[in-house]
Amino acid sequence: MTRTTTQQPVALLPPTQPLRCWQLLHVGTIQRSSVMSYTQVPLENFKETFLTAIELSSVALGGQVIAVSDEFFAEAFHLLLVEPAPSLKGQFGQKGALYSGWETRRHNPAYDWCIIKLGTTGSISGFDIDTSHFNGNEAPQASVDILYVTDDESAPQADDSRWEQVLPKVNLGPDSRHLFTVPPSKGVNYVKLNMYPDGGIARFRVYGLVKPVFPPDPATLFDLAHVFSGGRVVYTSDQHFGVGSNLILPGRGKDMSDGWETKRSRGKGHKDWAIIKLGDAGYLSQVEIDTAHFMGNFPESCEIHALNSTELVPNDVPEDSWTLALPRTKLGPHRQHYFQLVNVEHKPFTHVKITIYPDGGIKRVRILGRRALPINANGDAQPAHIPDAMERDVGSSAAAERPDPDTAHAHSPSAVAASRAPVIPAVPLTPEAFAPFGQVVQAYADVNAVPDPRNTRVTCANQGTATKFHKLALLESSYPPGCGATAGLSVYRCKPIDVKPGGEWEVKLLERHPCTNQAFIPMNGGTGHGDALEDPGTSYLVIVAQNGADDKPDLHTMRAFVVSGGQGIVYNTGIWHHPMAVLYKTMDFTCVETQIGNGDKLDCEVVDLDATEGYYRVKVPS
């Protein structure tokens, strides 16, 4: 049905067939003419219609109500809440019955409106106008206008002549959800919900695609999966308690409700997974997996795979097409886990899949990397995202084997050698990431967040003035009998290494202790206390590697960690590691070890690394 008018469009009768498309030419308060079309979608088709779209208006993204014509009975902020509207039947306040939604006074001679700032700029493709629990007082009709306003402009007013109608006046019914799709709009950051003439709407959800925000420097490391980078969760195997799209939201959330959580499994070998389409093809470096608020229901372990695909939802590709980027690794409760990714050097990827065993909840997944920029004939990087690419809901253009920004412009022999050697990201230390190399010794603010909570013993001590975390590491010694080795405490005063924040530091040697584990515990300084450091450092580097088949360090297993002054570390017996590397300021450490003490190789072996291909470099965080 097509209508032409020079007035505000009249109310349209509800479609008699599902998915009927309505079109009309609207001229009037909108400054320029535009052909508007929309499709009403049956509720049972919600998943297939909006599965890969982003809820741009959600309060979880930062959406907020800017102005409203009236909210006498119920405030408009309810429109943007994440949770479905609950029934408040039988509950009354000073102004009457209570509702979770936006409800205005009766007898409006015109219409009521609500101006909403989206959480981020995006292209709009659909709406969910929900009148749940409003029955007899629901808004009979609604329409939606859109607008883009620059950051240096003030928020728009209701009578701003630049508003453009994207959804014409549509009929609404009581206590029901109304789904509509529209042709993808240009990038906008404000919407105006109009209801005719007055009444109540419980929730209003604006769906579309984010206009990605990328760092201008192609060498900058950033979260390629973040919703503001254009990331989307395009598939989940299960989201019984929390939806997969929460994985890429800003911040760390407020409780378990805003994470991804699957139902309990009972079958042996069960796993759940989610597939994230990155905002753009990129070279991957590291991952952050956050289990904030998940204490008794975090996954036992997880793994990460990566893929380069032109498909939006690559759920049917062969398993061997996915690259294992993080082998199955244990997770802990209520913390941010940081892991270096493997098998991803110099290869661009468009999707990642996180698999959890056997089930549980994860709050956020951050995939840190660099954009894989196309290279033109002059060797210059070009933008990989064409303007308004967000308007087309398609898969990524799979990146070709483009030069990595870290290595594309190295020319001198020394630079070429350095470019061949890997750059290892120094990630924040967590017990789970360090587990292959040793133990982390620290206190925990929440006793439910200790590693391996079923087996870690935590008690009160000192007449209730202390909390004791028992035996976080045990002492080991395998010296031959009669060699004279003894256990003891030593103190190291360590000067800082020569590296600046954001810089790189070459790893030229590693050492190991073949007959003992070794602990380093930071010692706080103390002004005016004799020889104590008055201004000690607060962080240090730990660099470790497994032993190889040739009884030398296996450099492919080399990992680097940034450790805070509140954390001690214990190297397992025989683990290769770099001598203490303090950042920026001198630090004191207590060392707990067993040794002979005469320079015997049973105490310590040191290996100088081969520089032919360039030394491995550790990238220190900015």
Side-chain angles (χ1 to χ4, degrees), residues 109 116 122 134 251-252 284 327 360 367 381 392 429 490 543 571 580:
I116 296 165
F134 285 99
R252 299 189 67 199
L284 312 186
I367 304 294
R392 297 193 307 278
L429 180 73
S490 304
I543 303 165
Y571 298 115
M580 297 305 293

Side-chain angles (χ1 to χ4, degrees), residues 141-467:
Q141 296 174 318
S143 69
V144 181
D145 303 330
I146 59 174
L147 180 61
Y148 175 76
V149 174
T150 61
D151 290 340
D152 56 358
E153 294 182 87
S154 58
Q157 302 297 311
D159 59 355
D160 194 306
S161 62
R162 296 172 297 171
W163 287 110
E164 296 182 44
Q165 192 172 71
V166 67
L167 179 69
K169 191 183 291 186
V170 293
N171 288 345
L172 305 178
D175 192 24
S176 55
R177 292 170 60 186
H178 309 80
L179 308 179
F180 304 96
T181 61
V182 296
S185 73
K186 64 182 181 179
V188 299
N189 54 0
Y190 285 89
V191 298
K192 180 159 70 82
L193 172 63
N194 309 300
M195 64 176 174
Y196 304 88
D198 50 51
I201 296 174
R203 297 290 186 267
F204 176 57
R205 308 193 190 279
V206 180
Y207 292 101
L209 298 181
V210 168
K211 182 178 180 181
V213 179
F214 298 131
D217 183 356
T220 299
L221 204 69
F222 73 107
D223 181 8
L224 287 157
H226 198 286
V227 63
F228 290 164
S229 300
R232 287 186 277 170
V233 176
V234 295
Y235 182 84
T236 52
S237 62
D238 180 275
Q239 46 185 6
H240 188 81
F241 292 111
V243 297
S245 57
N246 288 334
L247 289 171
I248 59 174
L249 291 179
R252 299 189 67 199
K254 59 184 177 64
D255 53 36
M256 288 188 295
S257 69
D258 54 11
W260 172 49
E261 186 180 1
T262 67
K263 60 178 173 288
R264 293 190 186 220
S265 63
R266 302 304 182 187
K268 185 176 181 180
H270 184 83
K271 61 183 179 181
D272 284 310
W273 66 95
I275 298 176
I276 302 172
K277 178 188 175 294
L278 305 178
D280 202 2
Y283 299 105
L284 312 186
S285 173
Q286 55 191 278
V287 60
E288 174 193 332
I289 301 172
D290 191 356
T291 56
H293 306 115
F294 291 100
M295 297 186 195
N297 50 354
F298 61 95
E300 181 271 339
S301 57
C302 77
E303 61 188 10
I304 299 285
H305 290 80
L307 179 72
N308 192 331
S309 174
T310 59
E311 299 294 325
L312 175 63
V313 187
N315 202 34
D316 297 325
V317 300
E319 280 296 316
D320 58 7
S321 297
W322 290 89
T323 297
L324 181 64
L326 179 70
R328 186 168 173 177
T329 303
K330 282 190 174 293
L331 296 177
H334 190 51
R335 80 170 121 268
Q336 293 161 284
H337 304 75
Y338 303 90
F339 302 103
Q340 176 184 330
L341 297 176
V342 299
N343 305 321
V344 295
E345 294 80 9
H346 314 310
K347 293 182 289 187
F349 295 97
T350 59
H351 295 73
V352 296
K353 177 170 64 175
I354 179 166
T355 304
I356 59 174
Y357 296 91
D359 51 50
I362 290 176
K363 181 57 68 74
R364 302 287 185 263
V365 173
R366 309 294 188 201
I367 304 294
L368 300 185
R370 298 172 177 83
R371 292 178 67 202
L373 304 181
I375 305 298
N376 66 16
N378 298 322
D380 298 323
Q382 302 299 303
H385 241 276
I386 62 173
D388 292 326
M390 60 182 176
E391 296 181 13
R392 297 193 307 278
D393 191 9
V394 297
S396 298
S397 297
E401 294 292 332
R402 308 164 185 159
D404 189 322
D406 277 344
T407 60
H409 303 292
H411 301 293
S412 68
S414 60
V416 170
S419 71
R420 288 198 294 262
V423 176
I424 301 172
V427 301
L429 180 73
T430 58
E432 292 75 23
F434 195 64
F437 311 100
Q439 297 80 45
V440 176
V441 179
Q442 68 172 81
Y444 295 87
D446 191 316
V447 297
N448 295 306
V450 297
D452 193 13
R454 284 188 178 272
N455 298 305
T456 302
R457 187 178 176 217
V458 183
T459 64
C460 289
N462 299 348
Q463 293 74 49
T465 63
T467 301

Side-chain angles (χ1 to χ4, degrees), residues 577-593:
H577 58 274
H578 196 279
M580 297 305 293
V582 168
L583 295 173
Y584 319 132
K585 294 180 181 180
T586 299
M587 292 182 70
D588 288 343
F589 295 86
T590 295
C591 177
V592 184
E593 62 184 347

